[in-house]
Amino acid sequence: MSFAHSLGNVRYTFASLRELLARATPLRSGDMLAGLAAQSAEERVAAQFALADLPLTHFLSEQVVPYEEDEVTRLIMDTHDATAFAPVRSFTVGELRDWLLSDDATAGRLAALAPGLTPEMAAAVSKLMRVQDLIAAAAKIRVVTRFRTSVGLPGRLSTRLQPNHPTDDAAGIAASILDGLLLGSGDAVIGINPAGDNVAVTTRLLRLIDTVRERFQIPTQSCVLAHVTTLMAALEAGAPVDLIFQSIAGTEAANRGFGINLALLAEAYEAGRSLHRGALCADGCVGDHFMYFETGQGSALSANAHHDVDQQTLEARAYAVARRFRPMLVNTVVGFIGPEYLYDGKQIARAGLEDHFCGKLLGLPMGCDVCYTNHAEADQDDMDTLLTLLGTAGVNYIMGVPGADDVMLNYQSTSFHDALYLRRILGLRPAPEFEAWLQGDHFQRLALEADRPERLLPA
């Protein structure tokens, strides 16, 4: 089926849903690299008009990646909730946008709608939205998850304390953990990207975090962001695994490039569920969310596994994978892949807000690594802008990196001080369990160790 729209005397035709979505996407370098972007602003506007008139039901009959070829497509279609979809079944994409911005789209109705929307529907409506629309709609949606802390509550902003070290040096990591904790960071997770992805390194780093957590009774969760198979092996060897991590993408082929598939993630989910390491949170709920996923626009294209689908639609499809496993945390590492996919600060900011909106709309607890690489046309001022916009949009958590400069992954992110800025300027607070800890005796005891971070190391 083709789609068309006329602007003046020019008629623009789009051969498929895949092409229509790509041409309607706001400009970004990755789609240009893939040869999918609109050839002019006029063609982009025509595609957006055609997309606005498209019934949502069309997304249930035409797939951007064939059902027979892709297990992510099969997951999306086989788990679609027709009952949840019913209230918007008669809508076009444009009508869905108008409804999302209306007073009728309450938090309760948006939560109930999430299982009825496919990722392609979410991506489509985001392509019709301005920055303020993406913020206004996302700000209505709260997705709360719990392990030892409750992340995503109204009026709260959490952080991942990211104490990476280029050689996995325990003393260096301990110093960064201490720095972050003293500045109120770490209520989402203390999460280390290991320089060496093996069971021995992963186990050692997990024990380091767990030693600090138990010694000072810190209500948080740990994660070493190793490959899921490494984490499962560490778990079987008795390592103190809290959150199970994996990078994911929006096509079967891209996930295969990560060395995973849905069956492997299901195996990891069952392994994590058997541990029962979560705790009663401040409101009495048992913390039973323990999966952690990271995504990013351009990952499928970089693996040549994009099926001629635009990178933002594929990013939304990754959220279907995440949604399947009830994650504690999901975040888009928005500017990490580089300027080949998001060229400058403007494109990074737009992508971060799209990802946050689409993830929340689909029912996910979205955070964002507000970041860029040093060869992108972006700087820390651009990140300050995106950070502030995401705060107003109700982002669940951001990253806390010493000095905003990750010396292991060689990219620029947000610092412990950036989180303090955002909390102060918007009147936000840490997770309630963590906030109580910051005001208690255990935190004061930790502060006494500030000049001797080596004391935090396991014996």
Side-chain angles (χ1 to χ4, degrees):
M1 179 178 178
S2 63
F3 311 88
H5 186 83
S6 297
L7 288 179
N9 296 323
V10 180
R11 185 169 179 80
Y12 295 90
T13 302
F14 310 97
S16 64
L17 177 61
R18 180 171 55 226
E19 183 176 301
L20 177 65
L21 289 167
R23 300 294 195 270
T25 305
L27 183 66
R28 63 207 56 198
S29 54
D31 293 336
M32 295 176 67
L33 178 67
L36 303 175
Q39 296 301 300
S40 65
E42 290 80 5
E43 184 185 20
R44 183 173 301 108
V45 169
Q48 290 171 339
F49 269 110
L51 184 61
D53 291 336
L54 186 67
L56 291 178
T57 51
H58 186 86
F59 291 89
L60 302 178
S61 60
E62 183 179 357
Q63 307 308 312
V64 295
V65 182
Y67 182 94
E68 298 77 15
E69 299 177 15
D70 187 89
E71 67 173 2
V72 177
T73 300
R74 293 193 289 276
L75 172 68
I76 292 167
M77 298 312 299
D78 294 349
T79 60
H80 179 251
D81 188 330
T83 301
F85 181 57
V88 299
R89 183 178 179 83
S90 64
F91 286 7
T92 63
V93 176
E95 288 170 337
L96 176 61
R97 173 196 173 274
D98 293 343
W99 181 81
L100 289 171
L101 296 172
S102 75
D103 291 339
D104 289 337
T106 62
R109 287 172 178 166
L110 288 166
L113 176 63
L117 296 177
T118 68
E120 291 85 353
M121 293 176 192
V125 73
S126 74
K127 297 175 193 296
L128 306 182
M129 301 173 89
R130 294 169 56 185
V131 161
Q132 66 174 252
D133 298 338
L134 296 169
I135 293 171
K140 300 180 185 184
I141 306 170
R142 307 307 311 187
V143 182
V144 180
T145 55
R146 297 173 173 88
F147 193 78
R148 294 191 188 97
T149 56
S150 304
V151 175
L153 290 166
R156 307 281 178 170
L157 173 71
S158 295
T159 59
R160 169 188 161 192
L161 201 171
Q162 184 171 309
N164 297 344
H165 193 280
T167 63
D168 291 328
D169 178 71
I173 290 170
S176 293
I177 291 175
L178 179 59
D179 189 21
L181 290 171
L182 291 174
L183 289 167
S185 187
D187 54 331
V189 64
I190 300 175
I192 304 171
N193 296 91
D197 190 335
N198 60 65
V199 174
V201 167
T202 298
T203 299
R204 176 169 60 84
L205 296 179
L206 285 169
R207 287 181 175 153
L208 190 163
I209 303 173
D210 210 52
T211 296
V212 176
R213 184 186 65 79
E214 290 192 338
R215 180 177 174 186
F216 297 100
Q217 295 296 293
I218 307 169
T220 189
Q221 32 284 335
S222 64
C223 186
V224 173
L225 282 70
H227 192 270
V228 66
T229 53
T230 305
L231 285 168
M232 285 196 291
L235 183 156
E236 291 172 2
V241 176
D242 286 346
L243 303 189
I244 295 178
F245 169 81
Q246 182 56 48
S247 294
I248 56 173
T251 69
E252 178 180 346
N255 283 325
R256 190 182 308 122
F258 284 136
I260 62 166
N261 55 33
L262 295 179
L264 179 60
L265 293 178
E267 181 182 348
Y269 178 81
E270 292 302 322
R273 189 167 68 167
S274 69
L275 297 178
H276 303 292
R277 286 177 60 86
L280 281 177
C281 293
D283 58 3
C285 292
V286 176
D288 63 349
H289 300 97
F290 54 84
M291 299 297 281
Y292 176 14
F293 296 114
E294 285 189 343
T295 67
Q297 289 194 28
S299 58
L301 175 58
S302 69
N304 195 28
H306 61 294
H307 295 269
D308 289 330
V309 180
D310 71 271
Q311 65 184 37
Q312 191 253 333
T313 298
L314 291 180
E315 171 71 6
R317 281 170 55 94
Y319 303 151
V321 177
R323 184 167 63 174
R324 167 69 177 81
F325 299 104
R326 301 179 63 247
M328 173 71 184
L329 306 170
V330 179
N331 71 263
T332 168
V333 193
V334 64
F336 182 74
I337 304 182
E340 300 84 359
Y341 307 96
L342 295 169
Y343 178 71
D344 57 15
K346 180 180 177 68
Q347 291 187 12
I348 291 170
R350 170 82 196 188
L353 293 168
E354 288 170 347
D355 296 349
H356 176 256
F357 162 76
C358 288
K360 283 281 183 72
L361 187 61
L362 294 168
L364 288 176
M366 288 301 294
C368 183
D369 191 343
V370 180
C371 63
Y372 66 103
T373 56
N374 286 315
H375 62 311
E377 290 295 319
D379 58 27
Q380 211 66 37
D381 285 344
D382 294 311
M383 299 305 103
D384 285 350
T385 300
L386 177 54
L387 173 68
T388 307
L389 293 174
L390 284 166
T392 63
V395 70
N396 278 25
Y397 71 103
I398 60 169
M399 306 300 120
V401 178
D405 182 7
D406 193 306
V407 295
M408 195 278 279
L409 293 175
N410 291 308
Y411 79 118
Q412 309 303 308
S413 184
T414 47
S415 71
F416 308 135
H417 296 85
D418 292 331
L420 292 178
Y421 147 76
L422 198 58
R423 284 173 175 162
R424 178 169 296 180
I425 203 73
L426 296 177
L428 303 172
R429 294 149 58 195
E433 303 85 0
F434 195 80
E435 183 180 38
W437 176 78
L438 289 171
Q439 298 167 352
D441 292 341
H442 293 297
F443 177 77
Q444 294 301 320
R445 191 158 56 88
L446 175 75
L448 295 175
E449 308 284 345
D451 61 338
R452 298 286 299 278
E454 66 273 11
R455 294 181 183 175
L456 304 184
L457 300 177

